[in-house]
Amino acid sequence: MLVSLINIDVQRRIGQIDPRIYGGFIEHLGKCIYGGIYDPHSPHSDERGLRTDVIEAIRKLRTPIVRWPGGNFASGYHWQDGIGPQAQRPTRPELAWGTVESNQFGTDEFIQWCRMVDTEPYICANLGTGTLDEAAQWVEYCNGSDDTYFANLRRHNGHEQAYGVKYWGLGNEVYGDWQLGHRSAQDYAKVAREFGKMMKRTDPSIKLVACGGQNLDWDREVLSYCADLIDYLSYHVYWCPQPDADPYYSLFWGPHGSEQYLRFIGELIEYIRRERGIGHSIAICADEWNVWYRSDVTTERELYNLTDALVVGTFLNVLQRNCNTVKIANIAQLVNVIAPIWADPESIFLQTIYWPLFAAANYSGPVALDVHCESDGFEAPAEVSGELPYLDVSATLDEQTSKLFISVVNRHKQAAIPADIQMSGAQIDAEGTVHLITGEEPSVTNSFEEPDNVALHSEPSSVAGDSFAHEFPAHSMTILELPLC
Ligand code: AHR
């Protein structure tokens, strides 16, 4: 019989969660921007061509920050092509993905869209084919409040108030040969430093995200050269089932491998800060992450199933647990391309992975607790830990509302797992809520015809006191929302 034990002491705290870990990403790729975010021909678009049904679905995710315009696209994007009267904007060959860019959606449209979504913009500069001047002038266009050329150009385009874009990326995946303007770690570090200097001199209040490499040698080089200038180091990851392994269980190895790597980067950052005497903090910005293995995203869309949703739920737990080092994270992407929202011109449906994102952002507190969990497990590679527990747990606390949230992903394919949950430092009041995401089987997907095969269902719970039992259904994610007394 599978049983487990979860101990939660509300005084044992990991740290403060930055809500920006629930961020998103949109790129000029496939049907994400054109056909997802912007579609003048859809009946759901407003007079500017922005899809209001997509905006509504993202607002419900309470996405606090959105990265744009890419991704690989960013490395060939010249932002000045995308401002001014839309009819006069040039179409250009798009060399990252082999398409044509119409430039109908540009900086002003992105900022408008962010305001409608109630999210913070995060712009990734072009460190591939772009110049130092272009990057600094982009900052000036967005944030300039003086009587200068690019600030005036923004005003001329109808936007009197500076946009105050705080987060700027110094390029995308420059370490990869697929990238326009691919460079070695040392070459990238030198270029990033010069771009960063120019951009920060243009607006000293901005925060810079340097491009991490998912490789400690790359990360060390970039940190050694740029630590005094940057505020974040990026991390990208896409998970897939492993060859010659169980396709269901091996998909869960991914977020745990990432958790391990996030610990490595966190330590490396601290080591370099100490070595170089860097006073300010440098955090990890996991600005692309998701399950992705089925589709060529230029032409197709990834249809997610319940298993993928549980993998996404696991990584949201990982992000909460690693709140001291990861301060921004952006699921890639938000609509149509490897995304929680599937939009056709006439309507949308919510993919399975929408629900863990919704649950984590809506049912969590700002303080991460250090949970002890004992649970049987499934096999994992030795380098990840040899075995992973069926139950993955994260607990968070909201002191303002006096609520505890326990997020539990039961990765067992067939079995429900009963758990004894023991509390210290606080008692649970009755009148809580159980939020459950599950479905008939791990392979189940949503669609226009069956949009609710996987959704979130909430029911009242009446547990009280300092210990209680709860059974977590097979292949499910549960969030227990528990008032404390
Ligand atoms: O998100 C899709 C692509 O994946 C991005 O453009 C790129 O940065 C990554 O390789």
Side-chain angles (χ1 to χ4, degrees):
M1 158 105 156
L2 294 158
V3 279
S4 59
L5 173 68
I6 298 172
N7 292 107
I8 298 173
D9 178 346
V10 294
Q11 301 307 332
R12 278 188 66 97
R13 297 167 182 211
I14 300 174
Q16 200 72 22
I17 296 172
D18 188 322
R20 292 181 186 86
I21 63 168
Y22 307 120
F25 167 45
I26 55 174
E27 177 171 8
H28 294 239
L29 162 59
K31 287 193 162 79
C32 178
I33 298 292
Y34 302 111
I37 301 290
Y38 176 86
D39 186 354
H41 305 300
S42 165
H44 298 287
S45 295
D46 67 8
E47 64 292 351
R48 286 171 297 223
L50 300 175
R51 281 288 293 259
T52 54
D53 52 348
V54 171
I55 288 174
E56 208 37 53
I58 299 175
R59 279 177 70 89
K60 288 187 183 142
L61 289 177
R62 299 174 67 185
T63 308
I65 184 166
V66 175
R67 178 175 181 250
W68 172 85
N72 296 343
F73 174 81
S75 298
Y77 180 54
H78 298 287
W79 69 271
Q80 291 185 52
D81 289 344
I83 56 166
Q86 281 170 305
Q88 289 165 30
R89 296 183 193 174
T91 54
R92 301 267 190 211
E94 198 292 294
L95 302 180
W97 296 105
T99 57
V100 170
E101 172 57 40
S102 69
N103 283 305
Q104 294 303 290
F105 188 91
T107 304
D108 299 321
E109 289 77 23
F110 173 58
I111 299 292
Q112 282 289 328
W113 181 84
C114 286
R115 304 296 188 239
M116 291 173 75
V117 171
D118 193 18
T119 195
E120 185 156 16
Y122 161 23
I123 294 181
C124 183
N126 175 356
L127 268 74
T129 64
T131 65
L132 285 165
D133 275 340
E134 261 183 290
Q137 288 160 358
W138 204 357
V139 176
E140 182 193 330
Y141 183 86
C142 290
N143 295 356
S145 50
D146 292 337
D147 180 13
T148 59
Y149 179 81
F150 285 100
N152 286 335
L153 189 55
R154 183 197 67 239
R155 295 185 183 101
H156 176 79
N157 288 337
H159 309 285
E160 183 58 37
Q161 289 302 312
Y163 292 147
V165 177
K166 184 168 167 191
Y167 297 94
W168 291 84
L170 294 170
N172 178 70
E173 296 186 356
V174 182
Y175 51 83
D177 189 37
W178 59 89
Q179 206 64 211
L180 305 172
H182 162 225
R183 290 184 170 90
S184 70
Q186 203 178 38
D187 289 349
Y188 168 71
K190 286 184 180 161
V191 164
R193 183 171 184 83
E194 296 314 306
F195 272 70
K197 256 163 54 184
M198 289 271 289
M199 292 163 77
K200 266 207 174 163
R201 284 183 194 182
T202 306
D203 178 355
S205 73
I206 65 172
K207 301 285 177 197
L208 293 174
V209 183
C211 172
Q214 292 68 256
N215 168 307
L216 289 176
D217 294 333
W218 172 284
D219 290 346
R220 186 183 296 110
E221 190 72 40
V222 173
L223 285 165
S224 302
Y225 213 77
C226 302
D228 57 328
L229 193 72
I230 62 171
D231 304 286
Y232 298 87
L233 186 71
S234 73
Y235 170 73
H236 288 186
V237 68
Y238 294 100
W239 306 296
C240 54
Q242 294 307 301
D244 305 324
D246 181 297
Y248 172 82
Y249 284 110
S250 71
L251 194 51
F252 291 99
W253 299 350
H256 292 281
S258 293
E259 181 164 25
Q260 188 185 48
Y261 189 76
L262 292 172
R263 285 198 297 268
F264 296 159
I265 321 180
E267 293 299 329
L268 178 66
I269 289 172
E270 288 322 298
Y271 172 70
I272 288 180
R273 281 186 61 235
R274 192 183 71 175
E275 206 184 32
R276 304 267 321 272
I278 306 292
H280 70 271
S281 66
I282 300 173
I284 301 166
C285 171
D287 55 15
E288 288 188 31
W289 67 269
N290 204 345
V291 174
W292 177 18
Y293 63 95
R294 301 174 179 93
S295 59
D296 168 355
V297 283
T298 56
T299 52
E300 306 157 38
R301 287 180 270 189
E302 187 96 353
L303 181 62
Y304 287 110
N305 62 24
L306 174 59
T307 309
D308 304 322
L310 302 182
V311 172
V312 165
T314 301
F315 194 61
L316 289 161
N317 283 354
V318 166
L319 291 173
Q320 292 175 346
R321 286 196 288 268
N322 289 273
C323 62
N324 286 330
T325 52
V326 186
K327 301 287 182 186
I328 303 179
N330 308 73
I331 188 154
Q333 302 189 6
L334 281 175
V335 50
N336 284 340
V337 170
I338 41 175
I341 300 163
W342 183 298
D344 277 353
E346 310 73 36
S347 115
I348 66 170
F349 74 86
L350 305 176
Q351 292 234 52
T352 59
I353 62 167
Y354 182 91
W355 294 110
L357 295 165
F358 176 92
N362 284 280
Y363 306 124
S364 65
V367 176
L369 299 177
D370 189 10
V371 177
H372 171 77
C373 174
E374 283 170 29
S375 145
D376 290 309
F378 55 95
E379 206 184 335
E383 62 274 20
V384 173
S385 71
E387 189 179 271
L388 290 167
Y390 285 119
L391 297 190
D392 186 75
V393 186
S394 166
T396 62
L397 185 66
D398 187 334
E399 287 174 298
Q400 281 199 330
T401 58
S402 264
K403 276 188 180 173
L404 171 71
F405 299 88
I406 311 175
S407 164
V408 180
V409 186
N410 179 5
R411 286 89 62 89
H412 200 294
K413 207 171 171 180
Q414 294 99 6
I417 300 187
D420 282 330
I421 302 176
Q422 293 173 4
M423 301 281 309
S424 27
Q427 300 260 333
I428 291 161
D429 212 351
E431 317 289 314
T433 311
V434 180
H435 306 281
L436 178 65
I437 301 163
T438 189
E440 272 191 10
E441 51 190 345
S443 61
V444 69
T445 59
N446 289 344
S447 63
F448 282 114
E449 295 71 35
E450 294 182 293
D452 301 320
N453 283 339
V454 176
L456 179 135
H457 298 281
S458 302
E459 282 184 6
S461 104
S462 53
V463 297
D466 58 7
S467 85
F468 62 99
H470 188 88
E471 185 170 272
F472 296 98
H475 51 257
S476 70
M477 177 174 182
T478 304
I479 296 193
L480 302 173
E481 178 179 358
L482 303 168
L484 299 177
C485 55

